[in-house]
Amino acid sequence: MLRNGLAMLWRWTFRLFALLMLVAGSYALAVAVGASYPANRGWVMANSGVRIHVIDNGIHTDLVLPLVAEGVDWRDLVKPEDIADPRQAAQSHIALGWGDRDFYLNTPSWSKIDPQRTLAALTGRGSTVLHVVHLAEPPRMPQMRTILLRPEEYHRLAAFVRGTFAEGPSVRGYGSNDAFYPAKGGYSAINTCNAWTGQALRAAGVTMGSWTPFPFGVMRWL
């Protein structure tokens, strides 16, 4: 009887492992296909227009947008009193990233990653926030891409980002120049921070991977 029980346990363990490998393999294949198959294939960058940036820190991507440009003024949503040092709100640009609220608020650096919190975020059980950082226009760097958008393209991108903000109070950020704002949508392994960046750029009309849960799916097209 013990031998039969151990044999059954082994079979179920093997089946579970095989299922996990199948799920992981299917996910990896979907990521590769989504990142390789672009939307807005015929887009050509403008010679002049609104200059925006996409920054990749290896895990997460942010959009860096001018505080005021082409009639789009972010100061009605991101206000000086929302951050620890209101003087920082006079900076020329803001960086925006979207993600799981609990993970974002409690992970000020990658060294602070908690596996349990990460798993909870990937399962899509929590609410989301937009992280907004006031900053000067960043200098050129290897992990950054710069795009020039036509006014109508920038308006579409701004409309997408604005549509992500939800009602509710802001929360002070990690430092003197950032804050978190309630956001719409649910974060998961399917709908990640990088997928949000890809959606924003696709909304603008920029050539972009059809599904971009990881940074490389965003950056390879820019």
Side-chain angles (χ1 to χ4, degrees), residues 30-46:
V31 168
V33 172
S36 301
Y37 186 79
N40 305 322
R41 189 185 294 267
W43 180 76
V44 177
M45 186 166 65

Side-chain angles (χ1 to χ4, degrees), residues 9 24 34 51 56 64 67 80 127 129 143 156-157 173 182 198 217 221:
L9 178 61
R51 185 167 59 224
D56 167 23
V64 179
L67 186 63
S127 58
V129 291
Q143 66 273 32
R156 290 198 297 268
L157 181 141
W221 297 105

Side-chain angles (χ1 to χ4, degrees), residues 35-164:
S36 301
Y37 186 79
N40 305 322
R41 189 185 294 267
W43 180 76
V44 177
M45 186 166 65
N47 293 322
S48 62
V50 181
R51 185 167 59 224
I52 72 165
H53 311 282
V54 182
I55 296 179
D56 167 23
N57 68 9
I59 298 176
H60 170 85
T61 50
D62 281 320
L63 294 171
V64 179
L65 310 178
L67 186 63
V68 182
E70 289 295 337
V72 177
D73 188 337
W74 296 100
R75 290 175 295 186
D76 64 324
L77 290 175
V78 294
K79 300 175 181 178
E81 58 266 29
D82 297 336
I83 58 178
D85 182 356
R87 295 172 299 177
Q88 296 289 339
Q91 299 273 20
S92 61
H93 285 69
I94 54 172
L96 301 106
W98 175 86
D100 178 80
R101 179 185 176 91
D102 182 55
F103 181 90
Y104 233 148
L105 267 63
N106 293 287
T107 313
S109 66
W110 297 122
S111 63
K112 302 296 185 182
I113 288 179
D114 176 84
Q116 186 174 353
R117 181 169 284 122
T118 302
L119 181 61
L122 292 174
T123 57
R125 294 181 295 181
S127 58
T128 56
V129 291
L130 279 161
H131 184 216
V132 179
V133 183
H134 295 260
L135 72 171
E137 185 167 12
R140 188 176 298 275
M141 60 185 80
Q143 66 273 32
M144 183 179 78
R145 301 289 185 273
T146 298
I147 311 169
L148 289 172
L149 295 179
R150 299 166 182 85
E152 62 272 19
E153 293 169 345
Y154 182 63
H155 289 159
R156 290 198 297 268
L157 181 141
F160 175 87
V161 174
R162 280 180 167 270
T164 307

